[in-house]
Every structure is written in C-alpha cells, then in structure tokens.
C-alpha cells in the first residue's frame, strides 16, 4: 500500500510520471514529495513509487 495525499492506495512499482498522467494531474502545475523529499520534475520518469511510500502531491491554482 502507498499513502497518497493521506489516502491509502493499492499501487506500487509504478513510475511517478505514470501515476501523475493516469491520475490526470497537469505536470506543470504540481509539486511532489515522496517520504519527505521533494522530487524534481526531471526525475518523475525514473522515480518509482514502491510499497510503503508516502506521497504528497500539491496542485497549484491560479487566482486572485
């Protein structure tokens, strides 16, 4: 199990980029942290989400 934004999800051994695309996030409008470490966007394709990871995805919203 993986914890994503405080919800447990039964996924693992998937790249972060693959998860982001499948979940419908706009890669240009998010920041991602895995186990307390911010992941640079150029590492999304090579970073694997594995069992026990805690992932936080922050989605930026414009407005005023």
């Amino acid at each position: 199990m993986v914890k994503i934004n405080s919800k447990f999800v039964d996924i693992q051994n998937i790249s972060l980029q693959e998860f982001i695309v499948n979940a419908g996030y706009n890669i240009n409008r998010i920041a991602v942290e895995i186990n307390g470490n911010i992941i640079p966007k150029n590492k999304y394709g090579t970073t694997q989400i594995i069992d026990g990871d805690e992932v936080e995805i922050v989605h930026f919203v414009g407005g005023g």
Side-chain angles (χ1 to χ4, degrees), residues 6-45:
S6 301
K7 295 180 183 176
F8 286 98
V9 181
D10 190 18
I11 63 164
Q12 56 188 334
N13 300 324
I14 183 174
S15 77
L16 178 56
Q17 184 167 340
E18 187 177 358
F19 174 79
I20 290 168
V21 169
N22 290 342
Y25 287 102
N26 180 337
I27 200 164
N28 296 315
R29 299 185 61 92
I30 62 170
V32 180
E33 179 182 278
I34 298 179
N35 301 325
N37 298 306
I38 296 173
I39 309 300
K41 288 189 189 316
N42 66 349
K43 301 288 185 189
Y44 287 4

